[in-house]
């Protein structure tokens, strides 16, 4: 059995099996031009890229999934492994190539390619290794999909999102870093675990750098709609600031801990990025803490720096930044976080 040039399937005697199985309906109406076809490309078929790809597939977020990597054998192996799950998944066209032309016309491009963080290595140390790599990845992506939304996952994610913005020439609303979406999920998990509640009932946000200078917004945390700190104060329930600081420290150390134990992180970032893909592709207008151009927000000033702020995501990418309440200390920490990222960015000279 082989494919004919027209895509129909021919049996050994030249019989067109597609025609034999399916008698075409005469006068069939063509597919509606208003029916949207979605295409998502994932760049990098490593642990993170494949966790994202498989979460996108299981959550039925796209009609077409493309994977790009510069290691052809590994790439083909990963593609086949996913294709072999076809009987258990909604119908999706899965394709892969080392060539960027395969990504043409993508609605969303997710970049995970990069040097991996080695145990104990800070995210900022990864930067030089990933900068030249982005110079080879972003321009062809932008050329083949000029209308796409870019999500950057590779670390250090905030600076690389800035670099991707510069290299793509896209408007800033179409360049997003996965940022602290994952840190915030870790934060919700730890608070939920501490208070024995469901993590989905915890509204808690980490902003700033995806890394050591991130800022936990304790003053706006609520559980089931009840603001936590003001509730504890009104009930005169004593809480230790140190306990709160320790939860935040655990969030910061989470990635280092997982990497030292299993060598890399994958499942949580897979779910985290799939949640961003859903908000964008399905125009959910949901608010996520993600890395966006922070110029002019929260007193950050007239500087071109990407860091995480609570942003509303929809089909066009970033629709707006939420004006969340921050106390003076939180605002100061956010500005310090911006300074940390900006210092590294300035050293790059781009
Ligand atoms: P990995 O080493 O398993 O995968 C990286 C992949 O990129 C490899 O398959 C490699 O072949 C590919 N690659 C390298 N150069 C390429 C190029 N020029 N073109 C195409 N593909 C190329 O690493 P990983 O564990 O998947 O992590 C990937 C990145 O994601 C790292 O930078 C890591 O720090 C980052 N990460 C970010 C977050 C976050 O929250 N933002 C979380 C986890 C990991």
């Amino acid at each position: 059995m082989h494919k004919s040039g027209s895509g129909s399937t021919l049996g050994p005697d030249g019989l067109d099996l597609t025609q034999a199985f399916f008698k075409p309906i005469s006068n069939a109406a063509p597919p509606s031009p208003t029916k949207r076809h979605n295409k998502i490309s994932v760049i990098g078929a490593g642990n993170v890229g494949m966790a994202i790809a498989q979460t996108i597939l299981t959550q039925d977020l796209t009609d077409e999934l493309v994977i790009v990597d510069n290691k052809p054998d590994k790439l083909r192996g990963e593609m086949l492994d996913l294709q072999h799950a076809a009987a258990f998944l909604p119908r999706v066209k899965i394709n892969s190539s080392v060539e960027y032309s395969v990504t043409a016309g993508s609605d969303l491009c997710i970049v995970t390619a990069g040097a991996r963080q080695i145990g104990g290595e800070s995210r900022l140390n990864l930067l030089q290794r990933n900068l030249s790599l982005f110079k080879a990845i972003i321009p062809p992506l932008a050329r083949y999909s000029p209308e796409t939304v870019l999500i950057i996952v590779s670390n250090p994610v905030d600076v690389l999102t800035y670099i991707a913005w510069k290299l793509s020439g896209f408007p800033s609303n179409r360049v997003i870093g996965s940022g602290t979406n994952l840190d915030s999920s870790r934060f919700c998990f730890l608070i939920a675990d501490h208070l024995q509640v469901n993590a989905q009932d915890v509204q808690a946000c980490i902003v700033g750098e995806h890394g050591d200078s991130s800022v936990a917004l304790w003053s706006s945390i609520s559980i089931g709609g009840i603001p936590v700190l003001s509730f504890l104060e009104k009930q005169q329930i004593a809480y230790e600031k140190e306990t709160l600081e320790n939860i935040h420290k655990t969030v910061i150390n989470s990635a280092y801990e997982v990497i030292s134990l299993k060598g890399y992180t994958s499942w949580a970032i897979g779910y985290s990025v799939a949640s961003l893909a859903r908000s964008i592709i399905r125009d959910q207008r949901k608010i996520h803490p993600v890395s966006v151009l922070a110029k002019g927000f929260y007193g950050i000033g007239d500087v071109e720096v990407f860091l995480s702020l609570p942003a509303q995501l929809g089909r066009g990418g970033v629709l707006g930044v939420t004006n969340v309440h921050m106390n003076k200390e939180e605002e100061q920490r956010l500005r310090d976080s911006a300074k940390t990222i900006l210092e590294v960015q300035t050293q790059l000279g781009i």
Side-chain angles (χ1 to χ4, degrees), residues 46-48 69-71 112-116 153 155 178 210 265 269:
N47 300 297
V48 171
D69 199 284
N70 63 352
K71 289 190 192 124
T112 75
R116 201 193 308 161
V153 184
N155 273 321
S178 62
H210 169 62
T265 63
I269 184 68

Side-chain angles (χ1 to χ4, degrees), residues 301-312:
D302 195 24
V303 285
E304 290 186 338
V305 66
F306 277 70
L307 50 72
S308 286
L309 295 174
Q312 192 190 38

Side-chain angles (χ1 to χ4, degrees), residues 127 134 138 150-154 156-168 172 174-179 291-293 306-307 345:
L127 183 55
F134 264 46
I138 303 298
L150 282 173
I151 296 183
I152 308 303
V153 184
S154 317
V157 68
D158 300 294
V159 181
L160 287 177
T161 307
Y162 165 80
I163 288 168
W165 174 52
K166 287 285 173 195
L167 291 172
S168 66
S172 60
R174 287 203 278 121
V175 186
I176 301 163
S178 62
S291 199
V292 295
L293 183 62
F306 277 70
L307 50 72
Q345 219 164 268

